[in-house]
Amino acid sequence: MLPGQVAFAAAHYRVAILQPWETDAAEQLKQLNPDMTVLCYKCLSSTRSYEPGPVYSSGVSFEEADAVDPDGDTWFATRLDGSRIEWERYAGHWQMRVWDPAYQRRWVENVVEELKGSPFDGIMADNDVFDDYYGIRPPITDAPDMAALRLALGGLVRLAGDALNAIGKLLVPNIAESRREPGRWAEHAAYGGGFEEVWLGYSPVDLFDPVTAEAQLSQAAGPGISILRVPTDGDDAHPNFSYGLSAFWIFGDGRGAYSATAHDDYSRLQYAPELDWQLGSPRTAVKGRNHAWWREFEGGFAAVNFNSDGRRRRRVRVPRGMVDVDGRPAPAWIVLPAQRGVMFRRAR
């Protein structure tokens, strides 16, 4: 991170996820904003052959895994013909034997040792996968299907979470598609929180239908810190920004952290003024009908319409005394188009 980026992030963000070698930036962020949660990136599922070290984005480096048994490929996952598995679309990422107890132990030992005494509050553990996103194409050696990998990753999360918590650090996995497996989010987020990379949709134009979107809503309430990212095209004025932020407040009381970015665009400092709003404690319970939801807070109001059919607009009453982002009085009623959200704050 550049110095200007560090100062901006400390002023506007609740959570930062940095590369594990960015310790200087982590220290600066904690100095500028001691309440900020600063995590370093670690991949649960792969190692990267292009990283020079000595600090790596994986728990086990390519060189270390290669040195264990270069002939037997002890820690590298292999296809049935014995070849290693390089991820599709991500050159230099190699699938690891995440079910191997020796690999799991070494992954945890390395990460715990690295984080002892570090400025990081913990790790964001990426690729806690659910489906085959990278061309693994099971069956592979010792893993007949993706269910086997999911089961193994659950075990690695528990092992790493216990060990990191024991030294006062957090584990926040990127928990893929937890809505498809009851209890998955709560179990994997139990060691510090969870990251939902596709909050309310897969892409700027591929948002979830209302039933699917509503299946994610409990993620906003924890346990731990919930980091929720909505897909946009990279423009901070994209309507998905306010769509996801409204839901973040309605269903999570504004706890945790929120982001809205383009695909794999995590280095740019995304921002909208509403991101800084503190709506305060809820004045009402969550209210709604027909997939439209709203809630009043001590400091404002938020409403969202999860309907995906463009004909299903929803009319919502706005409490008195609210203003929009430009300070203009809010209307008494708003009509929300499908897959849109809105926030107002109380006039000062």
Side-chain angles (χ1 to χ4, degrees):
M1 295 181 71
L2 301 174
Q5 291 179 314
V6 170
F8 184 92
H12 297 288
Y13 297 163
R14 298 179 185 179
V15 172
I17 302 170
L18 307 179
Q19 292 290 359
W21 48 82
E22 294 183 291
T23 52
D24 288 345
E27 289 177 351
Q28 293 170 37
L29 286 170
K30 296 299 288 186
Q31 289 170 0
L32 292 170
N33 184 357
D35 293 330
M36 189 180 206
T37 299
V38 183
L39 306 173
C40 72
Y41 178 102
K42 290 291 179 181
C43 183
L44 288 167
S45 294
S46 78
T47 192
R48 287 88 191 272
S49 56
Y50 54 82
E51 291 183 343
V55 182
Y56 302 91
S57 61
S58 300
V60 175
S61 71
F62 185 92
E63 289 78 9
E64 181 179 15
D66 204 35
V68 170
D69 186 352
D71 297 320
D73 285 330
T74 303
W75 286 345
F76 288 95
T78 59
R79 301 203 182 279
L80 299 181
D81 65 3
S83 61
R84 294 178 180 179
I85 303 170
E86 186 175 19
W87 284 4
E88 292 180 352
R89 302 183 307 282
Y90 292 91
H93 293 58
W94 301 88
Q95 178 64 41
M96 306 305 287
R97 291 171 55 88
V98 295
W99 56 87
D100 188 305
Y103 171 78
Q104 291 187 352
R105 287 193 299 270
R106 183 61 61 84
W107 194 100
V108 172
E109 289 167 0
N110 287 350
V111 171
V112 167
E113 185 62 30
E114 184 179 323
L115 261 70
K116 284 180 180 176
S118 84
F120 291 110
D121 295 303
I123 69 169
M124 191 286 284
D126 198 14
N127 292 305
D128 184 4
V129 300
F130 191 91
D131 270 342
D132 186 3
Y133 313 120
Y134 304 121
I136 307 302
R137 294 189 294 277
I140 59 177
T141 305
D142 296 329
D145 50 32
M146 288 304 299
L149 271 72
R150 287 198 298 273
L151 182 64
L153 287 167
L156 179 52
V157 164
R158 288 189 293 273
L159 192 67
D162 284 338
L164 286 164
N165 288 176
I167 63 167
K169 302 293 185 180
L170 307 175
L171 173 71
V172 182
N174 183 357
I175 310 168
E177 304 194 69
S178 67
R179 69 184 188 281
R180 296 171 58 183
E181 183 179 300
R184 178 178 169 86
W185 180 271
E187 179 183 347
H188 288 224
Y191 304 95
F195 176 31
E196 176 56 79
E197 192 174 15
V198 288
W199 173 248
L200 307 183
Y202 286 126
S203 78
V205 295
D206 186 17
L207 298 175
F208 295 144
D209 62 81
V211 173
T212 302
E214 287 164 0
Q216 290 186 308
L217 298 181
S218 63
Q219 298 170 3
I225 188 164
S226 294
I227 305 173
L228 308 177
R229 174 254 174 192
V230 165
T232 71
D233 61 2
D235 184 350
D236 288 341
H238 194 283
N240 287 2
F241 200 120
S242 58
Y243 178 51
L245 187 59
S246 300
F248 170 77
W249 271 97
I250 294 167
F251 296 98
D253 299 347
R255 298 187 297 266
Y258 175 82
S259 179
T261 75
H263 180 67
D264 283 350
D265 184 19
Y266 298 122
S267 296
R268 190 179 61 84
L269 297 177
Q270 54 78 31
Y271 177 73
E274 294 92 331
L275 199 64
D276 288 337
W277 287 8
Q278 298 300 319
L279 300 188
S281 301
R283 277 194 172 184
T284 68
V286 178
K287 299 180 180 180
R289 63 177 182 274
N290 300 323
H291 304 300
W293 303 89
W294 58 91
R295 197 173 197 183
E296 184 179 359
F297 299 85
E298 292 293 338
F301 176 79
V304 69
N305 181 5
F306 289 131
N307 283 285
S308 52
D309 185 336
R311 298 168 296 179
R312 298 187 182 275
R313 301 162 70 88
R314 293 291 181 256
R315 191 167 182 257
V316 179
R317 185 175 184 84
V318 180
R320 293 181 179 180
M322 301 291 169
V323 298
D324 66 13
V325 68
D326 296 316
R328 298 172 300 200
W333 292 86
I334 54 169
V335 178
L336 277 176
Q339 297 178 326
R340 292 291 185 269
V342 67
M343 291 173 58
F344 298 107
R345 58 181 171 178
R346 204 169 298 281
R348 301 192 178 105

